């Protein structure tokens, strides 16, 4: 689908809940599933109970995405890629873009991200535009930039007061985005603080933001070589995710989790672990095809997930013995995998690893 086609896509479903056609200020449906509080195990029922057809179908697209079914996202999201409602359009474009990374449709992912940028520039170029619309545009733009590990442009900086205009579930998820950004800056203590504060003041359980917040703490604790704390956060995230099969986040973050998935889930939930690893391979391949050329980075794309996890820890200064103890494998196994890493990357010393690793 070309960018022009996306803008011309007929949205035949909007009038069902907005007679006469929706204006950009009528509903502002933005990522309704992320913004939903529900008990673990009731995710699909929560989606199906949404009365508004647009909200329900966008939430269903989110459900397919977060449960690791990117091929099914297009059916729900494509009708909204050119929606007249800003929230619907941004929701569709964000989820559609990341789903297409996982299915290796990079041109479609880029087209959707371009639409996010176009909408952001249009809304922020209007002095009298509603602040709620500006908040939504900033939220989606910052989220896409941070999750793709792109440099944060000054114009994307969000006014905290503007973010307070978002509903509680989206503010909660935005805490994860800011914690992830602090992690990328190497400010692991601040990242943990952001996540812990958000979780402490969570008025009710928003499962998807909760999963992402706990996973960013896994990343932080592993960066600080606090593996037991990292494992604790992983299991807390898994406790929320498993009843609904919300496994996408674990696959997305695998390269940053420092072998904690292998150390906590592989033995006790082998089938789930296999699915997560499958997500990792498909998502990370598409992610690199956007991230690497746009940033000039050279994040490795020819390593297995185990090789990448061991290489990440080695690049951060972990000894082979520490890695073996953490991942529950032998030192010889670690050495074997590192030999494969060195051969595949064509490097001569371990200090060269950082060039090919995630931050």
């Amino acid at each position: 689908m070309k960018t022009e086609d996306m803008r011309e896509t007929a949205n035949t479903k909007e009038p069902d809940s907005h007679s006469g056609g929706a204006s950009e200020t009528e509903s502002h449906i933005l990522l309704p599933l992320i913004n939903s509080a529900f008990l673990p195990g009731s995710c699909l029922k929560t989606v199906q109970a949404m009365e508004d057809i647009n909200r329900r179908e966008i939430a269903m697209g989110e459900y397919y995405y977060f449960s690791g079914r990117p091929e099914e996202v297009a059916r729900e999201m494509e009708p909204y890629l050119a929606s007249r409602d800003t929230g619907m359009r941004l929701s569709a474009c964000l989820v559609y873009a990341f789903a297409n990374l996982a299915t290796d449709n990079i041109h479609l992912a880029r087209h959707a991200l371009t639409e996010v940028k176009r909408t952001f520039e249009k809304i922020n170029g209007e002095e009298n535009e509603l602040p709620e619309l500006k908040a939504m545009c900033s939220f989606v733009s910052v989220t896409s930039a941070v999750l793709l590990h792109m440099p944060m442009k000054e114009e994307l900086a969000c006014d905290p007061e503007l973010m307070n205009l978002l509903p509680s579930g989206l503010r909660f998820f935005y805490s994860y985005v800011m914690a992830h950004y602090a992690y990328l800056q190497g400010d692991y203590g601040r990242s943990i603080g952001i996540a812990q504060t958000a979780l402490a003041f969570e008025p009710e359980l928003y499962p998807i933001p909760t999963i992402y917040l706990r996973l960013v703490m896994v990343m932080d604790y592993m960066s600080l070589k606090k593996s037991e704390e990292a494992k604790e956060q992983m299991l807390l995230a898994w406790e929320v995710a498993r009843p609904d099969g919300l496994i996408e986040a674990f696959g997305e973050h695998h390269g940053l989790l420092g072998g904690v998935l292998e150390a906590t889930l592989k033995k006790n939930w082998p089938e789930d672990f296999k699915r997560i690893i499958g997500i990792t391979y498909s998502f990370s391949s598409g992610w690199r095809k956007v991230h690497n050329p746009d940033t000039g980075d050279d994040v490795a794309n020819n390593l297995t997930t185990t090789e990448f996890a061991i290489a990440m820890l080695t690049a951060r200064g972990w000894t082979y013995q520490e890695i073996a103890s953490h991942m529950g494998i032998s030192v010889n196994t670690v050495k074997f995998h590192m030999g494969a890493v060195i051969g595949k990357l064509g490097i001569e010393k371990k200090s060269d690893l950082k060039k090919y690793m995630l931050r």
Side-chain angles (χ1 to χ4, degrees):
M1 181 181 293
K2 297 179 180 179
T3 305
E4 295 86 351
D5 297 332
M6 289 171 58
R7 295 178 187 171
E8 293 172 4
T9 299
N11 190 334
T12 58
K13 300 173 182 177
E14 280 183 58
D16 289 344
S17 55
H18 302 288
S19 59
S23 73
E24 287 197 323
T25 59
E26 282 180 338
S27 63
H28 307 325
I29 296 173
L30 182 65
L31 299 166
L33 185 57
I34 289 179
N35 192 44
S36 291
F38 55 87
L39 294 176
S42 63
C43 182
L44 187 55
K45 289 182 180 179
T46 298
V47 173
Q48 294 171 335
M50 294 180 180
E51 295 182 0
D52 182 279
I53 186 172
N54 300 314
R55 186 181 299 273
R56 185 169 65 249
E57 290 182 346
I58 290 172
M60 185 60 73
E62 293 176 83
Y63 170 72
Y64 286 142
Y65 179 76
F66 291 117
S67 58
R69 296 149 69 182
E71 298 85 358
E72 299 179 64
V73 170
R75 181 176 67 246
E76 303 297 335
M77 294 305 194
E78 279 184 349
Y80 296 98
L81 292 173
S83 172
R84 294 181 294 272
D85 182 280
T86 302
M88 293 180 194
R89 184 170 68 254
L90 289 171
S91 299
C93 286
L94 182 65
V95 179
Y96 186 80
F98 279 81
N100 276 294
L101 293 181
T103 55
D104 204 34
N105 291 308
I106 307 305
H107 65 294
L108 294 180
R110 285 192 177 277
H111 286 325
L113 293 169
T114 297
E115 181 62 21
V116 169
K117 180 180 179 181
R118 186 193 71 82
T119 302
F120 174 84
E121 292 174 347
K122 177 180 180 293
I123 296 297
N124 281 273
E126 299 288 338
E127 290 187 9
N128 297 322
E129 192 56 87
L130 289 174
E132 291 83 1
L133 288 179
K134 292 187 176 183
M136 290 194 301
C137 289
S138 294
F139 172 88
V140 173
S141 297
V142 171
T143 296
S144 61
V146 170
L147 298 192
L148 286 167
H149 293 194
M150 298 296 184
M152 185 70 75
K153 297 180 180 179
E154 185 176 348
E155 60 268 24
L156 289 182
C158 290
D159 182 346
E161 293 186 7
L162 198 63
M163 291 299 100
N164 284 336
L165 298 175
L166 294 170
S168 56
L170 296 186
R171 292 200 306 272
F172 197 39
F173 191 84
Y174 189 69
S175 295
Y176 154 75
V177 175
M178 288 295 94
H180 197 134
Y181 183 64
Y183 165 86
L184 293 176
Q185 304 307 303
D187 197 346
Y188 308 123
R190 181 169 178 269
S191 179
I192 292 170
I194 292 171
Q196 287 179 333
T197 300
L199 289 165
F201 287 95
E202 180 186 12
E204 48 189 333
L205 179 63
Y206 290 89
I208 293 172
T210 296
I211 294 164
Y212 277 76
L213 278 163
R214 294 203 180 280
L215 288 180
V216 81
M217 282 200 284
V218 174
M219 292 154 46
D220 292 320
Y221 282 127
M222 287 305 296
S223 298
L224 296 170
K225 298 185 74 170
K226 296 183 177 181
S227 60
E228 292 307 310
E229 290 89 340
K231 291 174 184 177
E232 178 184 5
Q233 291 302 321
M234 174 64 74
L235 291 173
L236 287 171
W238 186 238
E239 182 180 336
V240 175
R242 185 168 180 259
D244 293 295
L246 301 175
I247 63 173
E248 175 67 29
F250 297 85
E252 287 178 11
H253 289 79
H254 178 279
L256 300 169
L257 298 174
V260 179
L261 275 168
E262 287 79 359
T264 56
L265 303 189
K266 185 175 182 179
K267 181 179 179 180
N268 293 325
W269 296 278
E271 293 306 313
D272 291 318
F273 178 78
K274 288 179 183 177
R275 281 199 65 210
I276 291 169
I277 295 304
I279 290 170
T280 298
Y281 279 121
S282 57
F283 180 85
S284 61
S285 176
W287 185 91
R288 289 181 179 98
K289 289 176 182 177
V290 172
H291 172 84
N292 283 4
D294 286 10
T295 62
D297 290 343
D298 194 19
V299 178
N301 63 1
N302 60 343
L303 305 181
T304 68
T305 53
T306 300
E307 289 168 353
F308 198 94
I310 290 172
M312 279 283 288
L313 293 174
T314 302
R316 291 176 174 177
W318 287 53
T319 67
Y320 288 169
Q321 181 61 61
E322 288 172 331
I323 295 171
S325 298
H326 166 62
M327 296 183 67
I329 56 181
S330 70
V331 172
N332 283 338
T333 299
V334 175
K335 291 179 178 179
F336 172 80
H337 285 301
M338 273 306 302
V341 169
I342 290 171
K344 288 180 180 181
L345 298 182
I347 60 178
E348 296 182 356
K349 51 186 184 297
K350 290 189 289 186
S351 59
D352 294 332
L353 280 172
K354 289 186 178 181
K355 176 183 177 182
Y356 300 98
M357 296 294 104
L358 295 165
R359 280 185 284 175

